[in-house]
Amino acid sequence: MAYRTEMGLYYSYYKTIANAPSFADGIRAIVHDNVTEYGHTINTLNRFNLYPEVILGAAYRVFKKVSESFKWRNEICYQVNRGYNLPPVNSCEGIGNQHYFYIDNVFFVAGTVLGTVFVLGVILGDGFLGGCLAVAAFMFNHGEATRVQWTPPLRESWAYPFILAQITLISYVLKNRLSGCFYTLTIALTTTTCMLFWQFSQFAFATQVACLYATYILDFIPFSTMATVIRAHALSFILSFVLLFGNEMLLTSMLLSSIVTVMILIFSDRLLSRITFRPLYVLLTGVLFLAGTLGIKLAIGHYLAIEDDAHIFEILRSKFTDFATFHTRLYTCAAEFDFIQMETVSKLSKTLLLPTALASLVLVAFLALNQELPNFLWRSSASRQKQFGEVIYNTLQLLCFSLMAVLIMRLKLFATPQLCVFAALVANSRFFAHSFVYFKVPSWLQKAAIIALIAGMTTTGVANIHKQLSISGEYSNPDQEALFEWIQTNTPKEAVFAGTMPVMANVKLSTERPIVNHPHYEHKALRDRTLKVYSMFSKKPLSDVHKTLSDMRVNFFIYQDGWCQPHHSRPECSYRSMWDLQDPENKGRESLCDVISNALRTKKFEPLLPFSVVYNAHNYVVFKYAGICSDWSVAEMTVWIVVSLILSIITLTGCAAKKELKKSPTPEDLERQKAEAKEKEREAYRREHGVRFSQNHNCL
């Protein structure tokens, strides 16, 4: 139950594969899933990037068989007395436990980030000291650099370590001006892994392609190196598209259009390189890149009529204008999708990370003034022999990630590690010498300054580490536990549930009941479906809501009054305000939140018909559709009515025929009536003389 929202959804698929009779049965269940969006059969590998769960599910099955064969003891179980009138529970721990096997592997993958930060710090800092500075900055700002300790099953927990590894690999290739098939395949493999693990990877890599092309047109990347990297992106896109069963969101992504545009432009380099006037060359190629990327994306989206990623641009639009929809409000009203908080900026400044990264930016600015300004107007045939391509690329990547973090706080997981590795640039003595050509700093003095900087970071950084290590606790939600126990006991396995997205993920994971909506909001059809479910919080007539839910074949709706309460600081974020925005026609009607609240308070449930209250305890209310066959479709109901009418006609016809026969009894009927009369006399005699007997009665 601790895995709320998307976490519970993702973990449920790992549980399905691990518990299936065979691995093939588990794959079949998630590829042909009719439980997650009841009424639709979906391929969850195509929709939810579930390859981490597939890999771990297979690994757990193998590990379990090996452990049983060698009789390894890798799981300890015990009973926990919880108190507070709660029944005791059995708890197990150890890598042999299904859950511990999952989170141990998540933390192992996340643990590779520190090593990758060190390597990238060495590349940018040009030495061991740069790696140490990057690692120290990451450790001292760990709470702002990752959420894996709070949300292990989220896609970012699996994908980001590989994204950072891919950035490190590309930085190494750029620094050493490498090219060839080996590096194409290596980059493609890492990039494909990220794409398979997280749907947002495509947006991160779209910014990477843009940063690489900007570095290329500034003449910091040779043609052969740029061709190697862009071929790797093209290959990884093809592999990801195939392995994700033709994910439609990839086709309309900025990544595909940017890859295609860059490939056209770099292979037209001979023509474009004839432009020697640098401002014209940069302006023309930049405009062509933007026009090609946006044009191809819009053309593909319009031709295929795919709108799955439309909500992303709507969210960005709502950030800068008064534009808003029900869907954008669901996102932007959540704290993790709001603008970055000043508290985060303050924390990064107190550990000296932000000032150090700004100092590195100053170094890059001085390099541009000293080396680029003299050659600002004209390009030469040797222009692409410039040094520090990896620095320019990481500078642009940092700016992109920082902008993403400012707009959406959740994306600070990209910006903070990038700040840590970029801070290592101040330890690069070679870069320092090129930036300050008229001011030479002795190597020993620069190293002493870096050591002093790390020491200064510890003042606040060590306290941050202690604070992180001191966090401990346990998850307990007796109210939800009671709800799930009731569902397990009082509803059939095929009962279909609807409700708020976070609760539905837990219902699927803990009770394995079919649900009609879930928290994975990146698919347009799912957004439309969720809007229908959330009409229970609207001002629509209850009969309309009932029809909507019955069309979706919902049996039970889980309601929480807390979702109807006004937002504590932003009135526009309450469901009442969202529905006034979405459904202005019913703005003047009484909210169903008030109708339900009044009925629950007064115990008068007539206004809720045709819904009936079947569970009302511990902050949860479960409504059931009170009609017959609420899970039937219109076609099934029509057939049932027709068959019932035919049977009724046959029955009435038979009864009429019997009445006609009774009007003129035959001699056989008279004999049978005499026999029945004699039998009744014998039964009366037996009762009178105490004779006991039994008789079977058949009911038709």
Side-chain angles (χ1 to χ4, degrees), residues 599-609 611-613 616:
L600 295 175
R601 187 180 65 255
T602 61
K603 305 297 182 182
K604 296 178 180 179
F605 300 123
E606 291 80 7
L608 301 181
L609 293 176
F611 293 99
S612 60
V613 178
N616 182 14

Side-chain angles (χ1 to χ4, degrees), residues 166 170 191 201-217 221 226 229-234 236-237 254-263 265-266 289 293 393 396-397 400-401:
Q166 192 257 17
I170 284 184
T191 308
S201 297
Q202 56 170 298
F203 299 100
F205 289 139
T207 67
Q208 183 181 81
V209 171
C211 293
L212 286 168
Y213 187 66
T215 309
Y216 175 75
I217 63 177
I221 304 178
M226 186 65 191
V229 174
I230 202 64
R231 286 192 189 110
H233 270 290
S236 69
F237 183 91
M254 297 288 285
L255 177 60
L256 174 60
S257 57
S258 63
I259 290 173
V260 173
T261 303
V262 169
M263 291 188 76
L265 290 174
I266 67 169
F289 172 76
T293 300
Y393 158 67
L396 297 174
Q397 193 69 78
C400 286
F401 285 167

Side-chain angles (χ1 to χ4, degrees), residues 183-200:
Y183 297 103
T184 296
L185 293 175
T186 307
I187 295 172
L189 179 62
T190 314
T191 308
T192 302
T193 303
C194 304
M195 299 275 283
L196 295 179
F197 284 7
W198 191 17
Q199 68 274 10
F200 192 81

Side-chain angles (χ1 to χ4, degrees), residues 243-259:
L243 292 174
L244 289 173
F245 297 86
N247 187 294
E248 292 181 344
M249 202 169 175
L250 286 178
L251 286 178
T252 57
S253 66
M254 297 288 285
L255 177 60
L256 174 60
S257 57
S258 63
I259 290 173

Side-chain angles (χ1 to χ4, degrees), residues 27-147:
I27 293 296
R28 194 176 298 111
I30 67 172
V31 171
H32 303 282
D33 180 281
N34 59 358
V35 175
T36 306
E37 295 178 13
Y38 185 78
H40 296 165
T41 298
I42 62 173
N43 183 345
T44 57
L45 269 179
N46 167 273
R47 289 272 297 277
F48 304 146
N49 299 74
L50 295 178
Y51 275 93
E53 283 67 31
V54 171
I55 295 169
L56 271 193
Y60 176 76
R61 298 178 71 93
V62 172
F63 178 78
K64 188 176 180 181
K65 288 183 179 180
V66 172
S67 298
E68 291 174 353
S69 299
F70 289 95
K71 297 181 180 180
W72 293 340
R73 189 184 178 190
N74 45 37
E75 183 180 13
I76 301 174
C77 297
Y78 44 85
Q79 189 178 73
V80 179
N81 294 316
R82 299 184 291 171
Y84 302 103
N85 297 320
L86 296 174
V89 294
N90 292 324
S91 181
C92 298
E93 60 183 32
I95 197 171
N97 178 266
Q98 189 179 107
H99 175 246
Y100 274 86
F101 187 86
Y102 184 91
I103 60 172
D104 284 351
N105 279 280
V106 176
F107 293 148
F108 171 78
V109 172
T112 64
V113 170
L114 192 63
T116 307
V117 165
F118 175 79
V119 174
L120 188 50
V122 169
I123 292 173
L124 294 179
D126 201 34
F128 177 79
L129 201 58
C132 292
L133 177 58
V135 165
F138 183 82
M139 292 174 63
F140 295 154
N141 296 277
H142 184 266
E144 301 300 318
T146 180
R147 299 195 306 165

Side-chain angles (χ1 to χ4, degrees), residues 46 48 51 64 99 108 117 126 213 254 262 272 305 312 324 353 434-435 454 458 468 474 645 660 683:
N46 167 273
F48 304 146
Y51 275 93
K64 188 176 180 181
H99 175 246
F108 171 78
V117 165
D126 201 34
Y213 187 66
M254 297 288 285
V262 169
L272 294 171
I312 296 173
L353 173 58
H434 281 78
S435 297
I454 295 175
T458 60
Q468 288 282 304
E474 61 183 18
L645 288 173
E660 290 295 329
E683 287 178 4

